[in-house]
Amino acid sequence: MNCNLDYKSGFVSILGKPNVGKSTFLNRIVGEKLSIVTPKPQTTRHRIKGIYTDDKMQIVFFDTPGYLKPRYELQEQMMRTVREAIDDCDLVVFMTDHKFPTDYDLELCELIRLSSQPNRIAVLNKCDLLNDIDKQDKVAKIKAQGFQDVYSVSILKDETLSNLIHVVGNKLPFSPPLYPPEDLSDMPVRFFAAEIIREQIFLRLREELPYSSTVTVEKFIETEKKVHILANVWLERKTQKIIFIGEKGQMIKQITQNSERQLYKFLGKKVKLELWVKIKKDWRKKKNAIKEFGYF
Ligand SMILES: Nc1nc2c(ncn2[C@@H]2O[C@H](COP(=O)(O)OP(=O)(O)OP(=O)(O)O)[C@@H](O)[C@H]2O)c(=O)[nH]1
Ligand SMILES: [Mg+2]
């Protein structure tokens, strides 16, 4: 534990519309793939904690679901998670991208302005897709939404994000570290395993199917050399199950194998994964089912 009196630490919520790069940011800062990333919007459904520690500061980041107008109960819950994350931290990082300002950007800016959270900065991401003039124009427009400090980055392309990390850390209160310095998160490994499988479903399948799916880990048996995971994939309709399994079982086989590879990277051990496909009709619209699947 660092006992310096000038040590800083605190909680930082990363907020933004879907697909701006919030999870990419969290992973890059923490240096470990904690939060799943796909080209599809609405990938993240939970508040995901990732901890950055150096000898001057410890920043506990929360990745959050992308802000949108909810159309069903799961999205309502995702937006409750977003609203809680605004007040429940020492600093809000509003993240946006080259498409700023969209309706969701502006609604979220208003939500942050009207909240009781006084500490906020904005990050304009995906600057690799903007020329200098457009970038300056976006920065001015973001400032006009109530953000004095706006930082332009490309989380994918910039060599380092250390400036931004230090800006964020310096805005935190003086405090000793809140977690042991070696910790990257305090979320259970079963949670990450389910998310890694969900990521493969998002990457392999199209249209509504990824959004109709969720994963629960039923068994996680770890031995010295191997991990055996049994997980249920929940879908909403029988027709989706047919697509998920695919012709001669090709699709489920590919998703299983890709997940095993990613789980191996995360767990550092060989993984034997068994996926069972189950139907819970319209689960996204049902509060009980959402609760049962661990969304709150
Ligand atoms: N061009 C470009 N793409 C980026 C950059 N940062 C992230 N992306 C891409 O943007 C897509 C979405 O990234 P995510 O990190 O999943 O975005 P998110 O904000 O967490 O999305 P939700 O979880 O849906 O809210 C991925 O394909 C990333 O590779 C960047 O700096 N430049
Ligand atoms: Mg995300």
Side-chain angles (χ1 to χ4, degrees), residues 16-27 35-45 63-67 95 98 125-129 153-158 202 211:
K17 69 187 171 203
N19 208 241
V20 294
K22 301 178 293 299
S23 303
T24 311
F25 180 58
L26 180 94
N27 293 340
S35 201
I36 62 172
V37 172
T38 78
K40 294 190 172 73
Q42 299 176 52
T43 301
T44 307
R45 292 177 178 165
D63 182 16
T64 62
Y67 178 82
M95 184 171 287
H98 57 297
N125 185 29
K126 305 198 186 181
C127 284
D128 50 295
L129 304 177
V153 294
S154 167
I155 296 164
L156 277 191
K157 303 268 163 78
D158 286 355
F202 261 66
Y211 299 102

Side-chain angles (χ1 to χ4, degrees), residues 33 100 206:
K33 190 157 172 207
F100 185 91
R206 285 179 298 148

